Short mmCIF file of all heavy atoms in Angstrom, two decimals:
data_model
loop_
_atom_site.label_atom_id
_atom_site.label_comp_id
_atom_site.label_asym_id
_atom_site.label_seq_id
_atom_site.Cartn_x
_atom_site.Cartn_y
_atom_site.Cartn_z
N GLY A 213 -7.53 4.94 -2.91
CA GLY A 213 -8.68 5.85 -2.95
C GLY A 213 -9.85 5.40 -3.84
O GLY A 213 -10.50 6.21 -4.41
N VAL A 214 -10.06 4.09 -3.92
CA VAL A 214 -11.07 3.57 -4.88
C VAL A 214 -12.33 3.00 -4.20
O VAL A 214 -13.19 2.48 -4.91
CB VAL A 214 -10.48 2.50 -5.83
CG1 VAL A 214 -9.31 3.12 -6.66
CG2 VAL A 214 -10.03 1.28 -5.14
N TYR A 215 -12.40 3.11 -2.91
CA TYR A 215 -13.51 2.48 -2.17
C TYR A 215 -14.69 3.47 -1.86
O TYR A 215 -15.67 3.00 -1.30
CB TYR A 215 -13.03 1.83 -0.90
CG TYR A 215 -12.60 0.37 -1.06
CD1 TYR A 215 -11.99 -0.26 -0.03
CD2 TYR A 215 -12.82 -0.34 -2.20
CE1 TYR A 215 -11.60 -1.55 -0.11
CE2 TYR A 215 -12.39 -1.65 -2.33
CZ TYR A 215 -11.82 -2.23 -1.27
OH TYR A 215 -11.41 -3.57 -1.39
N ARG A 216 -14.59 4.72 -2.14
CA ARG A 216 -15.68 5.68 -1.76
C ARG A 216 -16.97 5.20 -2.46
O ARG A 216 -17.05 5.08 -3.65
CB ARG A 216 -15.36 7.11 -2.19
CG ARG A 216 -16.43 8.07 -1.79
CD ARG A 216 -15.95 9.48 -1.61
NE ARG A 216 -14.79 9.69 -0.75
CZ ARG A 216 -14.75 9.62 0.57
NH1 ARG A 216 -15.91 9.37 1.23
NH2 ARG A 216 -13.67 9.82 1.25
N GLY A 217 -17.99 4.88 -1.57
CA GLY A 217 -19.31 4.49 -2.11
C GLY A 217 -19.39 3.06 -2.51
O GLY A 217 -20.42 2.59 -3.04
N VAL A 218 -18.33 2.26 -2.34
CA VAL A 218 -18.28 0.83 -2.73
C VAL A 218 -18.67 -0.02 -1.51
O VAL A 218 -18.20 0.18 -0.38
CB VAL A 218 -16.91 0.46 -3.22
CG1 VAL A 218 -16.86 -1.03 -3.56
CG2 VAL A 218 -16.51 1.30 -4.44
N ARG A 219 -19.56 -1.01 -1.73
CA ARG A 219 -19.94 -1.98 -0.69
C ARG A 219 -18.81 -2.97 -0.57
O ARG A 219 -18.33 -3.55 -1.56
CB ARG A 219 -21.23 -2.73 -1.07
CG ARG A 219 -22.46 -1.89 -1.02
CD ARG A 219 -23.72 -2.63 -1.46
NE ARG A 219 -23.71 -4.06 -1.30
CZ ARG A 219 -23.57 -4.94 -2.26
NH1 ARG A 219 -23.40 -4.56 -3.52
NH2 ARG A 219 -23.59 -6.23 -2.04
N VAL A 220 -18.31 -3.18 0.66
CA VAL A 220 -17.13 -4.02 0.91
C VAL A 220 -17.32 -4.76 2.22
O VAL A 220 -18.14 -4.44 3.07
CB VAL A 220 -15.81 -3.27 0.96
CG1 VAL A 220 -15.55 -2.51 -0.35
CG2 VAL A 220 -15.73 -2.34 2.14
N THR A 221 -16.46 -5.78 2.40
CA THR A 221 -16.21 -6.40 3.71
C THR A 221 -14.75 -6.57 3.83
O THR A 221 -13.94 -6.21 2.89
CB THR A 221 -16.93 -7.73 3.87
OG1 THR A 221 -16.91 -8.14 5.26
CG2 THR A 221 -16.37 -8.84 2.98
N GLY A 222 -14.26 -7.03 4.95
CA GLY A 222 -12.80 -7.18 5.19
C GLY A 222 -12.65 -7.65 6.63
O GLY A 222 -13.62 -7.82 7.35
N SER A 223 -11.41 -7.74 7.01
CA SER A 223 -11.15 -8.09 8.44
C SER A 223 -11.83 -7.09 9.33
O SER A 223 -11.71 -5.86 9.11
CB SER A 223 -9.62 -8.09 8.63
OG SER A 223 -9.37 -8.16 10.05
N PRO A 224 -12.43 -7.58 10.40
CA PRO A 224 -13.06 -6.61 11.36
C PRO A 224 -12.04 -5.59 11.89
O PRO A 224 -12.39 -4.48 12.24
CB PRO A 224 -13.57 -7.48 12.49
CG PRO A 224 -13.86 -8.83 11.84
CD PRO A 224 -12.76 -8.94 10.80
N GLY A 225 -10.75 -5.93 11.86
CA GLY A 225 -9.71 -5.07 12.34
C GLY A 225 -9.51 -3.84 11.49
O GLY A 225 -8.94 -2.81 11.90
N ILE A 226 -10.01 -3.83 10.22
CA ILE A 226 -9.89 -2.66 9.34
C ILE A 226 -11.27 -2.07 9.01
O ILE A 226 -11.32 -1.21 8.15
CB ILE A 226 -9.06 -2.94 8.08
CG1 ILE A 226 -9.76 -3.90 7.13
CG2 ILE A 226 -7.66 -3.39 8.44
CD1 ILE A 226 -9.16 -3.94 5.74
N LYS A 227 -12.28 -2.49 9.72
CA LYS A 227 -13.64 -2.02 9.44
C LYS A 227 -13.70 -0.49 9.50
O LYS A 227 -14.22 0.18 8.60
CB LYS A 227 -14.65 -2.58 10.45
CG LYS A 227 -16.04 -2.03 10.35
CD LYS A 227 -16.96 -2.61 11.40
CE LYS A 227 -18.31 -1.94 11.35
NZ LYS A 227 -19.17 -2.41 12.41
N ASP A 228 -13.14 0.13 10.55
CA ASP A 228 -13.12 1.56 10.68
C ASP A 228 -12.35 2.23 9.53
O ASP A 228 -12.77 3.28 9.01
CB ASP A 228 -12.52 2.00 12.01
CG ASP A 228 -13.42 1.68 13.21
OD1 ASP A 228 -14.61 1.36 13.01
OD2 ASP A 228 -12.94 1.68 14.34
N ASP A 229 -11.25 1.62 9.11
CA ASP A 229 -10.48 2.19 8.02
C ASP A 229 -11.30 2.15 6.74
O ASP A 229 -11.26 3.13 5.96
CB ASP A 229 -9.19 1.42 7.81
CG ASP A 229 -8.27 1.44 8.99
OD1 ASP A 229 -8.26 2.47 9.73
OD2 ASP A 229 -7.57 0.45 9.24
#
Side-chain angles (χ1 to χ4, degrees):
V214 301
Y215 271 172
R216 183 155 308 285
V218 177
R219 291 178 25 256
V220 302
T221 193
S223 168
I226 67 166
K227 175 183 175 184
D228 290 346
D229 298 328

